[in-house]
PDB file of all heavy atoms in Angstrom:
ATOM      1  N   PRO A   1     -12.198  22.734  11.158  1.00 78.00           N
ATOM      2  CA  PRO A   1     -10.940  22.793  10.427  1.00 78.00           C
ATOM      3  C   PRO A   1     -10.276  24.155  10.548  1.00 78.00           C
ATOM      4  O   PRO A   1     -10.944  25.201  10.664  1.00 78.00           O
ATOM      5  CB  PRO A   1     -11.382  22.524   8.972  1.00 78.00           C
ATOM      6  CG  PRO A   1     -12.802  23.013   8.924  1.00 78.00           C
ATOM      7  CD  PRO A   1     -13.384  22.707  10.279  1.00 78.00           C
ATOM      8  N   ALA A   2      -8.976  24.174  10.557  1.00 85.00           N
ATOM      9  CA  ALA A   2      -8.246  25.425  10.530  1.00 85.00           C
ATOM     10  C   ALA A   2      -8.283  25.971   9.082  1.00 85.00           C
ATOM     11  O   ALA A   2      -8.511  25.233   8.133  1.00 85.00           O
ATOM     12  CB  ALA A   2      -6.801  25.192  10.958  1.00 85.00           C
ATOM     13  N   PRO A   3      -8.045  27.251   8.924  1.00 92.00           N
ATOM     14  CA  PRO A   3      -8.022  27.818   7.553  1.00 92.00           C
ATOM     15  C   PRO A   3      -6.978  27.152   6.685  1.00 92.00           C
ATOM     16  O   PRO A   3      -5.918  26.744   7.178  1.00 92.00           O
ATOM     17  CB  PRO A   3      -7.684  29.302   7.813  1.00 92.00           C
ATOM     18  CG  PRO A   3      -8.073  29.543   9.224  1.00 92.00           C
ATOM     19  CD  PRO A   3      -7.839  28.273   9.937  1.00 92.00           C
ATOM     20  N   PRO A   4      -7.206  27.017   5.404  1.00 95.00           N
ATOM     21  CA  PRO A   4      -6.187  26.409   4.516  1.00 95.00           C
ATOM     22  C   PRO A   4      -4.895  27.207   4.572  1.00 95.00           C
ATOM     23  O   PRO A   4      -4.870  28.422   4.720  1.00 95.00           O
ATOM     24  CB  PRO A   4      -6.834  26.479   3.135  1.00 95.00           C
ATOM     25  CG  PRO A   4      -8.303  26.593   3.399  1.00 95.00           C
ATOM     26  CD  PRO A   4      -8.440  27.371   4.675  1.00 95.00           C
ATOM     27  N   VAL A   5      -3.800  26.476   4.423  1.00 96.00           N
ATOM     28  CA  VAL A   5      -2.482  27.090   4.446  1.00 96.00           C
ATOM     29  C   VAL A   5      -1.820  26.849   3.089  1.00 96.00           C
ATOM     30  O   VAL A   5      -1.771  25.704   2.618  1.00 96.00           O
ATOM     31  CB  VAL A   5      -1.601  26.502   5.564  1.00 96.00           C
ATOM     32  CG1 VAL A   5      -0.224  27.127   5.551  1.00 96.00           C
ATOM     33  CG2 VAL A   5      -2.281  26.710   6.919  1.00 96.00           C
ATOM     34  N   GLN A   6      -1.298  27.897   2.458  1.00 97.00           N
ATOM     35  CA  GLN A   6      -0.621  27.758   1.188  1.00 97.00           C
ATOM     36  C   GLN A   6       0.866  27.500   1.420  1.00 97.00           C
ATOM     37  O   GLN A   6       1.549  28.289   2.051  1.00 97.00           O
ATOM     38  CB  GLN A   6      -0.797  29.022   0.336  1.00 97.00           C
ATOM     39  CG  GLN A   6      -0.284  28.869  -1.087  1.00 97.00           C
ATOM     40  CD  GLN A   6      -1.048  27.806  -1.864  1.00 97.00           C
ATOM     41  OE1 GLN A   6      -2.272  27.728  -1.823  1.00 97.00           O
ATOM     42  NE2 GLN A   6      -0.307  26.934  -2.549  1.00 97.00           N
ATOM     43  N   LEU A   7       1.339  26.352   0.934  1.00 97.00           N
ATOM     44  CA  LEU A   7       2.738  26.009   1.062  1.00 97.00           C
ATOM     45  C   LEU A   7       3.544  26.569  -0.103  1.00 97.00           C
ATOM     46  O   LEU A   7       3.044  26.598  -1.230  1.00 97.00           O
ATOM     47  CB  LEU A   7       2.904  24.486   1.126  1.00 97.00           C
ATOM     48  CG  LEU A   7       2.148  23.769   2.231  1.00 97.00           C
ATOM     49  CD1 LEU A   7       2.374  22.253   2.133  1.00 97.00           C
ATOM     50  CD2 LEU A   7       2.589  24.256   3.605  1.00 97.00           C
ATOM     51  N   GLU A   8       4.752  27.009   0.195  1.00 96.00           N
ATOM     52  CA  GLU A   8       5.595  27.585  -0.831  1.00 96.00           C
ATOM     53  C   GLU A   8       6.955  26.893  -0.842  1.00 96.00           C
ATOM     54  O   GLU A   8       7.346  26.245   0.117  1.00 96.00           O
ATOM     55  CB  GLU A   8       5.803  29.085  -0.549  1.00 96.00           C
ATOM     56  CG  GLU A   8       4.479  29.871  -0.540  1.00 96.00           C
ATOM     57  CD  GLU A   8       4.680  31.311  -0.098  1.00 96.00           C
ATOM     58  OE1 GLU A   8       5.773  31.617   0.447  1.00 96.00           O
ATOM     59  OE2 GLU A   8       3.771  32.121  -0.316  1.00 96.00           O
ATOM     60  N   SER A   9       7.643  27.017  -1.964  1.00 96.00           N
ATOM     61  CA  SER A   9       8.961  26.399  -2.060  1.00 96.00           C
ATOM     62  C   SER A   9       9.862  26.878  -0.952  1.00 96.00           C
ATOM     63  O   SER A   9       9.932  28.087  -0.661  1.00 96.00           O
ATOM     64  CB  SER A   9       9.597  26.734  -3.437  1.00 96.00           C
ATOM     65  OG  SER A   9       8.859  26.170  -4.483  1.00 96.00           O
ATOM     66  N   GLY A  10      10.563  25.937  -0.317  1.00 96.00           N
ATOM     67  CA  GLY A  10      11.447  26.275   0.794  1.00 96.00           C
ATOM     68  C   GLY A  10      10.801  26.123   2.144  1.00 96.00           C
ATOM     69  O   GLY A  10      11.491  26.153   3.171  1.00 96.00           O
ATOM     70  N   ASP A  11       9.466  25.973   2.155  1.00 97.00           N
ATOM     71  CA  ASP A  11       8.765  25.802   3.443  1.00 97.00           C
ATOM     72  C   ASP A  11       9.187  24.460   4.067  1.00 97.00           C
ATOM     73  O   ASP A  11       9.524  23.494   3.356  1.00 97.00           O
ATOM     74  CB  ASP A  11       7.266  25.820   3.253  1.00 97.00           C
ATOM     75  CG  ASP A  11       6.726  27.245   3.096  1.00 97.00           C
ATOM     76  OD1 ASP A  11       7.524  28.197   3.237  1.00 97.00           O
ATOM     77  OD2 ASP A  11       5.527  27.393   2.858  1.00 97.00           O
ATOM     78  N   LEU A  12       9.115  24.423   5.374  1.00 97.00           N
ATOM     79  CA  LEU A  12       9.477  23.233   6.135  1.00 97.00           C
ATOM     80  C   LEU A  12       8.427  22.995   7.185  1.00 97.00           C
ATOM     81  O   LEU A  12       8.200  23.802   8.067  1.00 97.00           O
ATOM     82  CB  LEU A  12      10.853  23.442   6.791  1.00 97.00           C
ATOM     83  CG  LEU A  12      11.566  22.226   7.324  1.00 97.00           C
ATOM     84  CD1 LEU A  12      12.023  21.305   6.204  1.00 97.00           C
ATOM     85  CD2 LEU A  12      12.779  22.645   8.162  1.00 97.00           C
ATOM     86  N   LEU A  13       7.744  21.847   7.067  1.00 98.00           N
ATOM     87  CA  LEU A  13       6.723  21.453   8.030  1.00 98.00           C
ATOM     88  C   LEU A  13       7.328  20.495   9.035  1.00 98.00           C
ATOM     89  O   LEU A  13       7.898  19.459   8.650  1.00 98.00           O
ATOM     90  CB  LEU A  13       5.540  20.778   7.311  1.00 98.00           C
ATOM     91  CG  LEU A  13       4.385  20.256   8.167  1.00 98.00           C
ATOM     92  CD1 LEU A  13       3.695  21.408   8.895  1.00 98.00           C
ATOM     93  CD2 LEU A  13       3.383  19.480   7.326  1.00 98.00           C
ATOM     94  N   VAL A  14       7.252  20.821  10.344  1.00 98.00           N
ATOM     95  CA  VAL A  14       7.846  19.988  11.393  1.00 98.00           C
ATOM     96  C   VAL A  14       6.769  19.584  12.402  1.00 98.00           C
ATOM     97  O   VAL A  14       6.160  20.429  13.048  1.00 98.00           O
ATOM     98  CB  VAL A  14       8.991  20.736  12.123  1.00 98.00           C
ATOM     99  CG1 VAL A  14       9.579  19.877  13.241  1.00 98.00           C
ATOM    100  CG2 VAL A  14      10.058  21.146  11.134  1.00 98.00           C
ATOM    101  N   LEU A  15       6.520  18.289  12.490  1.00 97.00           N
ATOM    102  CA  LEU A  15       5.542  17.740  13.413  1.00 97.00           C
ATOM    103  C   LEU A  15       6.287  16.945  14.487  1.00 97.00           C
ATOM    104  O   LEU A  15       7.089  16.068  14.163  1.00 97.00           O
ATOM    105  CB  LEU A  15       4.544  16.824  12.695  1.00 97.00           C
ATOM    106  CG  LEU A  15       3.968  17.327  11.372  1.00 97.00           C
ATOM    107  CD1 LEU A  15       2.971  16.297  10.809  1.00 97.00           C
ATOM    108  CD2 LEU A  15       3.294  18.682  11.539  1.00 97.00           C
ATOM    109  N   LEU A  16       5.992  17.210  15.742  1.00 96.00           N
ATOM    110  CA  LEU A  16       6.707  16.592  16.853  1.00 96.00           C
ATOM    111  C   LEU A  16       5.738  16.128  17.926  1.00 96.00           C
ATOM    112  O   LEU A  16       4.631  16.653  18.056  1.00 96.00           O
ATOM    113  CB  LEU A  16       7.700  17.572  17.496  1.00 96.00           C
ATOM    114  CG  LEU A  16       8.732  18.218  16.576  1.00 96.00           C
ATOM    115  CD1 LEU A  16       9.465  19.318  17.348  1.00 96.00           C
ATOM    116  CD2 LEU A  16       9.720  17.195  16.072  1.00 96.00           C
ATOM    117  N   THR A  17       6.201  15.162  18.755  1.00 94.00           N
ATOM    118  CA  THR A  17       5.498  14.841  20.008  1.00 94.00           C
ATOM    119  C   THR A  17       6.217  15.519  21.147  1.00 94.00           C
ATOM    120  O   THR A  17       7.355  16.007  20.999  1.00 94.00           O
ATOM    121  CB  THR A  17       5.444  13.308  20.251  1.00 94.00           C
ATOM    122  OG1 THR A  17       6.768  12.795  20.280  1.00 94.00           O
ATOM    123  CG2 THR A  17       4.646  12.625  19.164  1.00 94.00           C
ATOM    124  N   ASP A  18       5.591  15.559  22.323  1.00 92.00           N
ATOM    125  CA  ASP A  18       6.153  16.341  23.432  1.00 92.00           C
ATOM    126  C   ASP A  18       7.400  15.715  24.030  1.00 92.00           C
ATOM    127  O   ASP A  18       8.070  16.361  24.860  1.00 92.00           O
ATOM    128  CB  ASP A  18       5.098  16.550  24.525  1.00 92.00           C
ATOM    129  CG  ASP A  18       4.557  15.242  25.099  1.00 92.00           C
ATOM    130  OD1 ASP A  18       5.128  14.196  24.781  1.00 92.00           O
ATOM    131  OD2 ASP A  18       3.591  15.309  25.849  1.00 92.00           O
ATOM    132  N   GLY A  19       7.754  14.510  23.606  1.00 90.00           N
ATOM    133  CA  GLY A  19       8.996  13.913  24.102  1.00 90.00           C
ATOM    134  C   GLY A  19      10.244  14.688  23.690  1.00 90.00           C
ATOM    135  O   GLY A  19      11.285  14.585  24.334  1.00 90.00           O
ATOM    136  N   VAL A  20      10.111  15.515  22.626  1.00 94.00           N
ATOM    137  CA  VAL A  20      11.270  16.298  22.156  1.00 94.00           C
ATOM    138  C   VAL A  20      11.464  17.543  23.030  1.00 94.00           C
ATOM    139  O   VAL A  20      12.521  17.704  23.662  1.00 94.00           O
ATOM    140  CB  VAL A  20      11.077  16.704  20.675  1.00 94.00           C
ATOM    141  CG1 VAL A  20      12.250  17.545  20.207  1.00 94.00           C
ATOM    142  CG2 VAL A  20      10.930  15.464  19.813  1.00 94.00           C
ATOM    143  N   ASP A  21      10.453  18.394  23.101  1.00 94.00           N
ATOM    144  CA  ASP A  21      10.665  19.651  23.856  1.00 94.00           C
ATOM    145  C   ASP A  21      10.692  19.412  25.359  1.00 94.00           C
ATOM    146  O   ASP A  21      11.242  20.232  26.115  1.00 94.00           O
ATOM    147  CB  ASP A  21       9.595  20.698  23.494  1.00 94.00           C
ATOM    148  CG  ASP A  21       8.219  20.308  23.985  1.00 94.00           C
ATOM    149  OD1 ASP A  21       7.562  19.501  23.316  1.00 94.00           O
ATOM    150  OD2 ASP A  21       7.808  20.802  25.039  1.00 94.00           O
ATOM    151  N   GLU A  22      10.148  18.269  25.849  1.00 92.00           N
ATOM    152  CA  GLU A  22      10.139  18.000  27.288  1.00 92.00           C
ATOM    153  C   GLU A  22      11.295  17.094  27.739  1.00 92.00           C
ATOM    154  O   GLU A  22      11.345  16.665  28.882  1.00 92.00           O
ATOM    155  CB  GLU A  22       8.818  17.360  27.707  1.00 92.00           C
ATOM    156  CG  GLU A  22       7.636  18.312  27.577  1.00 92.00           C
ATOM    157  CD  GLU A  22       6.319  17.698  28.002  1.00 92.00           C
ATOM    158  OE1 GLU A  22       6.341  16.536  28.444  1.00 92.00           O
ATOM    159  OE2 GLU A  22       5.276  18.379  27.906  1.00 92.00           O
ATOM    160  N   ALA A  23      12.260  16.841  26.833  1.00 92.00           N
ATOM    161  CA  ALA A  23      13.443  16.071  27.220  1.00 92.00           C
ATOM    162  C   ALA A  23      14.204  16.844  28.293  1.00 92.00           C
ATOM    163  O   ALA A  23      14.398  18.055  28.188  1.00 92.00           O
ATOM    164  CB  ALA A  23      14.316  15.802  26.011  1.00 92.00           C
ATOM    165  N   LEU A  24      14.667  16.129  29.331  1.00 91.00           N
ATOM    166  CA  LEU A  24      15.334  16.775  30.463  1.00 91.00           C
ATOM    167  C   LEU A  24      16.840  16.564  30.432  1.00 91.00           C
ATOM    168  O   LEU A  24      17.331  15.488  30.061  1.00 91.00           O
ATOM    169  CB  LEU A  24      14.801  16.208  31.784  1.00 91.00           C
ATOM    170  CG  LEU A  24      13.500  16.789  32.329  1.00 91.00           C
ATOM    171  CD1 LEU A  24      13.059  15.998  33.544  1.00 91.00           C
ATOM    172  CD2 LEU A  24      13.674  18.259  32.723  1.00 91.00           C
ATOM    173  N   SER A  25      17.567  17.587  30.838  1.00 91.00           N
ATOM    174  CA  SER A  25      19.009  17.456  31.031  1.00 91.00           C
ATOM    175  C   SER A  25      19.283  17.017  32.461  1.00 91.00           C
ATOM    176  O   SER A  25      18.376  16.892  33.276  1.00 91.00           O
ATOM    177  CB  SER A  25      19.698  18.825  30.776  1.00 91.00           C
ATOM    178  OG  SER A  25      19.385  19.712  31.818  1.00 91.00           O
ATOM    179  N   THR A  26      20.533  16.783  32.753  1.00 89.00           N
ATOM    180  CA  THR A  26      20.916  16.390  34.125  1.00 89.00           C
ATOM    181  C   THR A  26      20.660  17.506  35.115  1.00 89.00           C
ATOM    182  O   THR A  26      20.607  17.306  36.311  1.00 89.00           O
ATOM    183  CB  THR A  26      22.392  15.987  34.179  1.00 89.00           C
ATOM    184  OG1 THR A  26      23.201  17.060  33.674  1.00 89.00           O
ATOM    185  CG2 THR A  26      22.637  14.735  33.347  1.00 89.00           C
ATOM    186  N   ARG A  27      20.503  18.733  34.609  1.00 88.00           N
ATOM    187  CA  ARG A  27      20.213  19.887  35.454  1.00 88.00           C
ATOM    188  C   ARG A  27      18.719  20.117  35.589  1.00 88.00           C
ATOM    189  O   ARG A  27      18.277  21.159  36.064  1.00 88.00           O
ATOM    190  CB  ARG A  27      20.878  21.144  34.885  1.00 88.00           C
ATOM    191  CG  ARG A  27      22.388  21.040  34.776  1.00 88.00           C
ATOM    192  CD  ARG A  27      23.022  22.245  34.112  1.00 88.00           C
ATOM    193  NE  ARG A  27      22.548  22.375  32.722  1.00 88.00           N
ATOM    194  CZ  ARG A  27      23.054  21.703  31.698  1.00 88.00           C
ATOM    195  NH1 ARG A  27      24.018  20.803  31.921  1.00 88.00           N
ATOM    196  NH2 ARG A  27      22.618  21.852  30.486  1.00 88.00           N
ATOM    197  N   GLU A  28      17.920  19.115  35.103  1.00 88.00           N
ATOM    198  CA  GLU A  28      16.451  19.173  35.143  1.00 88.00           C
ATOM    199  C   GLU A  28      15.935  20.372  34.364  1.00 88.00           C
ATOM    200  O   GLU A  28      14.969  21.039  34.748  1.00 88.00           O
ATOM    201  CB  GLU A  28      15.947  19.193  36.593  1.00 88.00           C
ATOM    202  CG  GLU A  28      16.310  17.958  37.372  1.00 88.00           C
ATOM    203  CD  GLU A  28      15.603  17.872  38.698  1.00 88.00           C
ATOM    204  OE1 GLU A  28      14.707  18.697  38.945  1.00 88.00           O
ATOM    205  OE2 GLU A  28      15.923  16.965  39.493  1.00 88.00           O
ATOM    206  N   GLU A  29      16.557  20.642  33.222  1.00 93.00           N
ATOM    207  CA  GLU A  29      16.148  21.716  32.329  1.00 93.00           C
ATOM    208  C   GLU A  29      15.525  21.105  31.067  1.00 93.00           C
ATOM    209  O   GLU A  29      16.047  20.120  30.521  1.00 93.00           O
ATOM    210  CB  GLU A  29      17.355  22.571  31.969  1.00 93.00           C
ATOM    211  CG  GLU A  29      17.028  23.726  31.010  1.00 93.00           C
ATOM    212  CD  GLU A  29      18.285  24.507  30.630  1.00 93.00           C
ATOM    213  OE1 GLU A  29      19.382  24.127  31.068  1.00 93.00           O
ATOM    214  OE2 GLU A  29      18.157  25.499  29.913  1.00 93.00           O
ATOM    215  N   PHE A  30      14.373  21.652  30.625  1.00 94.00           N
ATOM    216  CA  PHE A  30      13.716  21.132  29.438  1.00 94.00           C
ATOM    217  C   PHE A  30      14.465  21.564  28.172  1.00 94.00           C
ATOM    218  O   PHE A  30      15.043  22.650  28.097  1.00 94.00           O
ATOM    219  CB  PHE A  30      12.266  21.633  29.347  1.00 94.00           C
ATOM    220  CG  PHE A  30      11.357  20.997  30.348  1.00 94.00           C
ATOM    221  CD1 PHE A  30      10.751  21.737  31.355  1.00 94.00           C
ATOM    222  CD2 PHE A  30      11.102  19.625  30.295  1.00 94.00           C
ATOM    223  CE1 PHE A  30       9.911  21.147  32.268  1.00 94.00           C
ATOM    224  CE2 PHE A  30      10.248  19.027  31.205  1.00 94.00           C
ATOM    225  CZ  PHE A  30       9.658  19.794  32.191  1.00 94.00           C
ATOM    226  N   PHE A  31      14.413  20.710  27.141  1.00 95.00           N
ATOM    227  CA  PHE A  31      15.005  21.066  25.852  1.00 95.00           C
ATOM    228  C   PHE A  31      14.288  22.294  25.283  1.00 95.00           C
ATOM    229  O   PHE A  31      14.925  23.237  24.820  1.00 95.00           O
ATOM    230  CB  PHE A  31      14.899  19.877  24.885  1.00 95.00           C
ATOM    231  CG  PHE A  31      15.626  20.066  23.603  1.00 95.00           C
ATOM    232  CD1 PHE A  31      17.013  19.975  23.538  1.00 95.00           C
ATOM    233  CD2 PHE A  31      14.933  20.365  22.431  1.00 95.00           C
ATOM    234  CE1 PHE A  31      17.681  20.164  22.342  1.00 95.00           C
ATOM    235  CE2 PHE A  31      15.592  20.549  21.228  1.00 95.00           C
ATOM    236  CZ  PHE A  31      16.978  20.456  21.175  1.00 95.00           C
ATOM    237  N   GLY A  32      12.968  22.270  25.286  1.00 95.00           N
ATOM    238  CA  GLY A  32      12.175  23.442  24.969  1.00 95.00           C
ATOM    239  C   GLY A  32      12.045  23.739  23.484  1.00 95.00           C
ATOM    240  O   GLY A  32      12.856  23.325  22.661  1.00 95.00           O
ATOM    241  N   THR A  33      11.002  24.529  23.143  1.00 95.00           N
ATOM    242  CA  THR A  33      10.746  24.847  21.738  1.00 95.00           C
ATOM    243  C   THR A  33      11.765  25.824  21.184  1.00 95.00           C
ATOM    244  O   THR A  33      12.030  25.801  19.963  1.00 95.00           O
ATOM    245  CB  THR A  33       9.332  25.461  21.596  1.00 95.00           C
ATOM    246  OG1 THR A  33       9.213  26.579  22.485  1.00 95.00           O
ATOM    247  CG2 THR A  33       8.266  24.437  21.937  1.00 95.00           C
ATOM    248  N   ALA A  34      12.365  26.654  22.009  1.00 96.00           N
ATOM    249  CA  ALA A  34      13.352  27.616  21.498  1.00 96.00           C
ATOM    250  C   ALA A  34      14.537  26.878  20.890  1.00 96.00           C
ATOM    251  O   ALA A  34      15.051  27.261  19.813  1.00 96.00           O
ATOM    252  CB  ALA A  34      13.821  28.547  22.616  1.00 96.00           C
TER     253      ALA A  34
END
């Protein structure tokens, strides 16, 4: 297990599959995590 994480008001948890950051444009550029 990873160490426990304390959540605070205003925090935002985002869970994704690789279809999001690996989506390709017509220029063959990845959407990317940035």
Side-chain angles (χ1 to χ4, degrees):
V5 178
Q6 188 63 45
L7 303 178
E8 301 173 345
S9 294
D11 282 355
L12 194 68
L13 178 64
V14 179
L15 315 181
L16 305 171
T17 58
D18 58 10
V20 179
D21 68 279
E22 293 181 1
L24 277 173
S25 71
T26 56
R27 300 175 297 279
E28 298 190 9
E29 180 182 3
F30 288 116
F31 187 76
T33 55

